[in-house]
């Protein structure tokens, strides 16, 4: 019962580098989401996907790219990392009832 | 669009005391409401949810919440706090007709004193 797996759990990178955070789910949920968690802001939606090959922007999409070629995978790419993208990133999936199931998070530090 | 306000970023209670975490929402449609809990270095997990029907919702670990439409509130309570309840709690609201639009509050950190 793996659920949602995120990797890496911890990542340190430098400004300007490309970083990809991976997300894999075993439930075959249609919807998948990427959130970032910052102190005082709660969770903010970056991108979501309603199904394979269908993605759309959330509240804070700038500087991020997503893809979803397979239902179970939803990688998040920072094409040129900036210090403001230092955060904890959570992948989540949902079924039709709307409740979200979260991964354990990926803590990204951009130096 | 929906929004959530959690009153109090930090709440401290003694072990055995009542836990009350406040959440007010704004929504243009009848909302779905959720409480999630986050333990250190972990993802969020669902405590309870309100969709339709009974307005008093019971969740895991003895928590419950009441949907009050007239007050646009969904406060989380537990009669007797336990040390293991110390965590961050998030209230969230979503549009039942728009599965991609869940909005979270800023969170309330609960501390339980022995």
């Amino acid at each position: 019962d793996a659920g949602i797996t995120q990797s890496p759990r911890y990542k340190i990178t430098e400004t300007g580098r490309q970083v990809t955070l991976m997300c894999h789910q075993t439930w075959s949920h249609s919807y998948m989401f990427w959130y970032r968690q910052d102190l005082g802001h709660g969770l903010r939606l970056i991108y979501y996907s309603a199904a394979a090959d269908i993605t759309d922007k959330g509240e804070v999409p700038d500087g991020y790219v997503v893809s979803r070629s397979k239902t179970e995978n939803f990688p998040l790419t920072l094409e040129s990392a900036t210090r403001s993208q230092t955060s904890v990133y959570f992948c989540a999936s949902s079924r039709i009832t709307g409740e979200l199931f979260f991964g354990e998070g990926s803590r990204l530090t951009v130096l | 669009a929906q929004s959530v306000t959690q009153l109090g970023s930090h709440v401290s209670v003694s072990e055995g005391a009542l836990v009350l975490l406040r959440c007010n929402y704004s929504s243009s449609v009848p909302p779905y409401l959720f409480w999630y809990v986050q333990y250190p270095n972990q993802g969020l997990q669902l405590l309870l949810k309100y969709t339709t029907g009974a307005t008093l919702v019971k969740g895991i670990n003895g928590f419950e919440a009441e949907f009050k439409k007239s007050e646009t509130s969904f406060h989380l309570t537990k009669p007797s706090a336990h040390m293991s309840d110390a965590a961050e709690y998030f209230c969230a609201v979503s549009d039942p007709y728009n599965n991609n639009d869940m909005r979270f509050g800023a969170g309330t950190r609960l501390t339980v004193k022995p």
Side-chain angles (χ1 to χ4, degrees):
Chain A
D1 187 46
I4 289 194
T5 306
Q6 291 185 233
S7 62
R9 292 290 315 278
Y10 302 91
K11 176 75 176 179
I12 299 174
T13 191
E14 294 177 338
T15 301
R17 289 191 181 268
Q18 183 178 82
V19 176
T20 296
L21 306 180
M22 305 300 292
C23 178
H24 176 80
Q25 58 126 339
T26 58
W27 290 310
S28 299
H29 288 165
S30 294
Y31 280 87
M32 294 188 74
F33 306 81
W34 275 105
Y35 287 88
R36 60 177 290 171
Q37 182 179 26
D38 304 288
L39 214 60
H41 290 280
L43 277 79
R44 291 179 292 175
L45 181 64
I46 304 170
Y47 269 95
Y48 69 94
S49 168
D53 297 321
I54 302 174
T55 62
D56 209 345
K57 296 177 180 178
E59 200 180 346
V60 290
D62 293 344
Y64 303 96
V65 174
V66 293
S67 62
R68 196 167 176 205
S69 56
K70 293 184 177 181
T71 302
E72 61 267 29
N73 297 323
F74 191 41
L76 175 74
T77 298
L78 290 67
E79 293 191 306
S80 178
T82 65
R83 288 183 181 173
S84 64
Q85 293 177 310
T86 292
S87 186
V88 182
Y89 291 86
F90 286 99
C91 181
S93 69
S94 78
R95 45 192 190 191
I96 204 94
T97 53
E99 66 190 84
L100 298 179
F101 296 83
F102 285 87
E104 292 195 322
S106 294
R107 184 177 294 272
L108 176 67
T109 301
V110 183
L111 302 176
Chain B
Q2 301 102 293
S3 65
V4 169
T5 302
Q6 290 184 241
L7 301 173
S9 57
H10 291 89
V11 170
S12 181
V13 301
S14 297
E15 192 173 19
L18 171 73
V19 176
L20 170 60
L21 304 182
R22 299 178 187 273
C23 172
N24 288 90
Y25 70 90
S26 172
S27 179
S28 56
V29 299
Y32 284 178
L33 294 159
F34 306 82
W35 275 100
Y36 290 86
V37 61
Q38 184 182 30
Y39 299 102
N41 296 317
Q42 294 186 24
L44 284 70
Q45 58 188 85
L46 184 70
L47 265 183
L48 50 78
K49 65 180 179 183
Y50 168 79
T51 53
T52 58
T55 56
L56 182 62
V57 180
K58 295 186 185 300
I60 61 172
N61 302 336
F63 284 94
E64 61 183 37
E66 186 171 11
F67 170 58
K68 291 188 176 180
K69 183 179 178 182
S70 61
E71 298 177 8
T72 60
S73 69
F74 191 58
H75 301 331
L76 182 70
T77 61
K78 182 174 181 178
S80 177
H82 192 272
M83 297 297 290
S84 61
D85 294 327
E88 186 107 22
Y89 292 81
F90 292 92
C91 183
V93 61
S94 76
D95 178 347
Y97 305 105
N98 192 359
N99 200 37
N100 53 288
D101 195 15
M102 182 173 291
R103 300 296 177 112
F104 287 82
T108 298
R109 181 168 297 278
L110 176 67
T111 301
V112 182
K113 298 175 293 186

